[in-house]
Amino acid sequence: MKRMINGNELYIEEHGNPNGKAIFFIHGAPGLGDCRSDIKAFSDLGTDYRLIFMDMRGSGRSEGKPPFTHEQWTEDIESVRKELVDEPIIILGGSYGGFLALEYVLRYPESVRAVLLRDTAASKRFDQDSVQAAKDANLTDVSEDELIRLFAGEVASNEEFKRVFSAIQPLYTVEYDEVAVKKKMDSIYYRYETHNAAFKYNKPNYNIVDQLPSINVPVFITVGRHDWITPVECSDEIASHIPNHEYHIFEQSGHSPHHEENELYLARLRAFFNKYEL
């Protein structure tokens, strides 16, 4: 379905048990991501939970009216919650979506039962490590200048966006499937303006580490051991500042343990739900 939320049309899908507690899924990669990946990974939770997936403002099949700020994105999440659920939610954010999940619980603490974080960060402290990892990989189809522009939010077109993002795909997973990756790259809704806003204006000022101790709901923190873009150190930093958390490192995964080790990921997530009676 599509809903007009804060003057911008959002694409939303609802799955699972309509009488279950609601889980909101917030995808990463502004301008690249959408809800399809989370639907594939987490639909099995629908037996017990009401699953709400959305393409964020400026991404996927949603309309792209600025601003593309953390304030606007979290306000959009809260408006969807009020319209569809009107009770506290469980919120799951992966990668950049984890930035938004954390900022959402900080801005709207009464709206959240629990926070689920996957391969994300609470600051820009390790960003240069990620850039250096990409440079050190000696990828053949992308130049150092293109990598710098990608991370600086200075991509010139959707064509460039697709080409550079495709070139860095071998970094993302432990087992690289060239055919599957090409199919995925061809299916993406490329929105370079959204990416540029996120990386040029939002990320340079992103640091909420000192606010993390105020989060008093249960937090589920996960990361792939071989994640290059939000490495283990990012999740270590989060775990060291949140008092009520459970932390898992997935040893056979890169940036997407919810896909790379899906069965184990869901088992640990269900155990977390049972532990906190969510």
mmCIF file of all heavy atoms in Angstrom, residues 44-62:
data_model
loop_
_atom_site.group_PDB
_atom_site.id
_atom_site.type_symbol
_atom_site.label_atom_id
_atom_site.label_comp_id
_atom_site.label_asym_id
_atom_site.label_seq_id
_atom_site.Cartn_x
_atom_site.Cartn_y
_atom_site.Cartn_z
ATOM 1 N N ASP A 44 9.441 -15.180 8.144
ATOM 2 C CA ASP A 44 9.105 -16.307 9.014
ATOM 3 C C ASP A 44 8.623 -15.862 10.396
ATOM 4 O O ASP A 44 7.953 -16.631 11.096
ATOM 5 C CB ASP A 44 10.311 -17.241 9.172
ATOM 6 C CG ASP A 44 10.514 -18.145 7.966
ATOM 7 O OD1 ASP A 44 9.671 -18.125 7.049
ATOM 8 O OD2 ASP A 44 11.527 -18.859 7.931
ATOM 9 N N LEU A 45 8.942 -14.636 10.785
ATOM 10 C CA LEU A 45 8.470 -14.132 12.079
ATOM 11 C C LEU A 45 6.978 -13.822 12.060
ATOM 12 O O LEU A 45 6.373 -13.578 13.102
ATOM 13 C CB LEU A 45 9.241 -12.867 12.466
ATOM 14 C CG LEU A 45 10.755 -13.000 12.672
ATOM 15 C CD1 LEU A 45 11.367 -11.627 12.935
ATOM 16 C CD2 LEU A 45 11.067 -13.950 13.814
ATOM 17 N N GLY A 46 6.394 -13.830 10.871
ATOM 18 C CA GLY A 46 5.005 -13.444 10.730
ATOM 19 C C GLY A 46 4.008 -14.385 11.375
ATOM 20 O O GLY A 46 2.843 -14.024 11.562
ATOM 21 N N THR A 47 4.428 -15.581 11.727
ATOM 22 C CA THR A 47 3.527 -16.495 12.441
ATOM 23 C C THR A 47 3.041 -15.865 13.747
ATOM 24 O O THR A 47 1.876 -16.023 14.136
ATOM 25 C CB THR A 47 4.242 -17.820 12.744
ATOM 26 O OG1 THR A 47 4.701 -18.393 11.520
ATOM 27 C CG2 THR A 47 3.311 -18.789 13.452
ATOM 28 N N ASP A 48 3.928 -15.135 14.400
ATOM 29 C CA ASP A 48 3.610 -14.575 15.713
ATOM 30 C C ASP A 48 3.516 -13.054 15.736
ATOM 31 O O ASP A 48 2.889 -12.501 16.652
ATOM 32 C CB ASP A 48 4.678 -15.001 16.727
ATOM 33 C CG ASP A 48 4.764 -16.505 16.876
ATOM 34 O OD1 ASP A 48 3.718 -17.122 17.128
ATOM 35 O OD2 ASP A 48 5.870 -17.060 16.716
ATOM 36 N N TYR A 49 4.142 -12.383 14.771
ATOM 37 C CA TYR A 49 4.266 -10.936 14.838
ATOM 38 C C TYR A 49 3.631 -10.254 13.630
ATOM 39 O O TYR A 49 3.548 -10.829 12.537
ATOM 40 C CB TYR A 49 5.737 -10.526 14.948
ATOM 41 C CG TYR A 49 6.378 -10.966 16.239
ATOM 42 C CD1 TYR A 49 6.995 -12.210 16.329
ATOM 43 C CD2 TYR A 49 6.319 -10.170 17.377
ATOM 44 C CE1 TYR A 49 7.553 -12.644 17.531
ATOM 45 C CE2 TYR A 49 6.882 -10.587 18.571
ATOM 46 C CZ TYR A 49 7.493 -11.819 18.644
ATOM 47 O OH TYR A 49 8.037 -12.245 19.830
ATOM 48 N N ARG A 50 3.215 -9.038 13.844
ATOM 49 C CA ARG A 50 2.738 -8.176 12.762
ATOM 50 C C ARG A 50 3.960 -7.461 12.187
ATOM 51 O O ARG A 50 4.651 -6.723 12.907
ATOM 52 C CB ARG A 50 1.730 -7.174 13.317
ATOM 53 C CG ARG A 50 1.100 -6.261 12.286
ATOM 54 C CD ARG A 50 0.137 -5.302 12.973
ATOM 55 N NE ARG A 50 -0.446 -4.359 12.026
ATOM 56 C CZ ARG A 50 -1.170 -3.301 12.371
ATOM 57 N NH1 ARG A 50 -1.418 -3.074 13.656
ATOM 58 N NH2 ARG A 50 -1.659 -2.492 11.444
ATOM 59 N N LEU A 51 4.253 -7.692 10.933
ATOM 60 C CA LEU A 51 5.477 -7.203 10.319
ATOM 61 C C LEU A 51 5.170 -6.033 9.389
ATOM 62 O O LEU A 51 4.387 -6.178 8.441
ATOM 63 C CB LEU A 51 6.162 -8.325 9.537
ATOM 64 C CG LEU A 51 6.325 -9.667 10.260
ATOM 65 C CD1 LEU A 51 6.995 -10.679 9.345
ATOM 66 C CD2 LEU A 51 7.111 -9.496 11.561
ATOM 67 N N ILE A 52 5.783 -4.904 9.645
ATOM 68 C CA ILE A 52 5.539 -3.707 8.840
ATOM 69 C C ILE A 52 6.849 -3.259 8.203
ATOM 70 O O ILE A 52 7.820 -2.926 8.891
ATOM 71 C CB ILE A 52 4.908 -2.591 9.694
ATOM 72 C CG1 ILE A 52 3.531 -3.057 10.189
ATOM 73 C CG2 ILE A 52 4.786 -1.300 8.888
ATOM 74 C CD1 ILE A 52 2.839 -2.127 11.137
ATOM 75 N N PHE A 53 6.860 -3.303 6.890
ATOM 76 C CA PHE A 53 8.040 -2.956 6.095
ATOM 77 C C PHE A 53 7.733 -1.691 5.299
ATOM 78 O O PHE A 53 6.616 -1.526 4.797
ATOM 79 C CB PHE A 53 8.384 -4.083 5.115
ATOM 80 C CG PHE A 53 8.575 -5.437 5.743
ATOM 81 C CD1 PHE A 53 7.499 -6.293 5.917
ATOM 82 C CD2 PHE A 53 9.834 -5.851 6.158
ATOM 83 C CE1 PHE A 53 7.673 -7.557 6.471
ATOM 84 C CE2 PHE A 53 10.019 -7.112 6.725
ATOM 85 C CZ PHE A 53 8.931 -7.958 6.882
ATOM 86 N N MET A 54 8.727 -0.838 5.129
ATOM 87 C CA MET A 54 8.509 0.367 4.329
ATOM 88 C C MET A 54 9.769 0.731 3.559
ATOM 89 O O MET A 54 10.887 0.427 3.974
ATOM 90 C CB MET A 54 8.066 1.529 5.217
ATOM 91 C CG MET A 54 9.123 2.052 6.165
ATOM 92 S SD MET A 54 8.475 3.326 7.282
ATOM 93 C CE MET A 54 7.748 2.284 8.556
ATOM 94 N N ASP A 55 9.547 1.358 2.424
ATOM 95 C CA ASP A 55 10.636 2.016 1.708
ATOM 96 C C ASP A 55 10.695 3.440 2.251
ATOM 97 O O ASP A 55 9.699 4.173 2.190
ATOM 98 C CB ASP A 55 10.375 2.050 0.199
ATOM 99 C CG ASP A 55 10.410 0.673 -0.447
ATOM 100 O OD1 ASP A 55 10.717 -0.311 0.252
ATOM 101 O OD2 ASP A 55 10.133 0.598 -1.662
ATOM 102 N N MET A 56 11.842 3.828 2.774
ATOM 103 C CA MET A 56 11.947 5.132 3.398
ATOM 104 C C MET A 56 11.862 6.250 2.369
ATOM 105 O O MET A 56 12.094 6.060 1.166
ATOM 106 C CB MET A 56 13.256 5.223 4.191
ATOM 107 C CG MET A 56 13.392 4.176 5.290
ATOM 108 S SD MET A 56 12.067 4.256 6.523
ATOM 109 C CE MET A 56 12.489 5.788 7.347
ATOM 110 N N ARG A 57 11.518 7.433 2.822
ATOM 111 C CA ARG A 57 11.438 8.626 1.963
ATOM 112 C C ARG A 57 12.708 8.734 1.090
ATOM 113 O O ARG A 57 13.828 8.719 1.602
ATOM 114 C CB ARG A 57 11.312 9.864 2.863
ATOM 115 C CG ARG A 57 11.326 11.203 2.143
ATOM 116 C CD ARG A 57 11.358 12.337 3.145
ATOM 117 N NE ARG A 57 10.150 12.356 3.977
ATOM 118 C CZ ARG A 57 9.186 13.275 3.903
ATOM 119 N NH1 ARG A 57 9.278 14.258 3.032
ATOM 120 N NH2 ARG A 57 8.141 13.214 4.707
ATOM 121 N N GLY A 58 12.500 8.818 -0.220
ATOM 122 C CA GLY A 58 13.631 8.964 -1.126
ATOM 123 C C GLY A 58 14.288 7.673 -1.528
ATOM 124 O O GLY A 58 15.321 7.687 -2.209
ATOM 125 N N SER A 59 13.727 6.535 -1.139
ATOM 126 C CA SER A 59 14.295 5.229 -1.474
ATOM 127 C C SER A 59 13.215 4.314 -2.039
ATOM 128 O O SER A 59 12.029 4.467 -1.736
ATOM 129 C CB SER A 59 14.919 4.555 -0.245
ATOM 130 O OG SER A 59 16.071 5.231 0.191
ATOM 131 N N GLY A 60 13.650 3.344 -2.838
ATOM 132 C CA GLY A 60 12.743 2.323 -3.340
ATOM 133 C C GLY A 60 11.578 2.902 -4.105
ATOM 134 O O GLY A 60 11.725 3.726 -5.006
ATOM 135 N N ARG A 61 10.369 2.487 -3.707
ATOM 136 C CA ARG A 61 9.146 2.890 -4.402
ATOM 137 C C ARG A 61 8.444 4.060 -3.729
ATOM 138 O O ARG A 61 7.337 4.447 -4.121
ATOM 139 C CB ARG A 61 8.214 1.676 -4.493
ATOM 140 C CG ARG A 61 8.767 0.569 -5.383
ATOM 141 C CD ARG A 61 8.417 -0.810 -4.931
ATOM 142 N NE ARG A 61 9.109 -1.171 -3.694
ATOM 143 C CZ ARG A 61 9.087 -2.372 -3.149
ATOM 144 N NH1 ARG A 61 8.422 -3.335 -3.748
ATOM 145 N NH2 ARG A 61 9.744 -2.617 -2.022
ATOM 146 N N SER A 62 9.084 4.655 -2.735
ATOM 147 C CA SER A 62 8.505 5.812 -2.056
ATOM 148 C C SER A 62 8.873 7.105 -2.782
ATOM 149 O O SER A 62 9.876 7.181 -3.485
ATOM 150 C CB SER A 62 8.995 5.885 -0.603
ATOM 151 O OG SER A 62 8.396 4.873 0.178
#
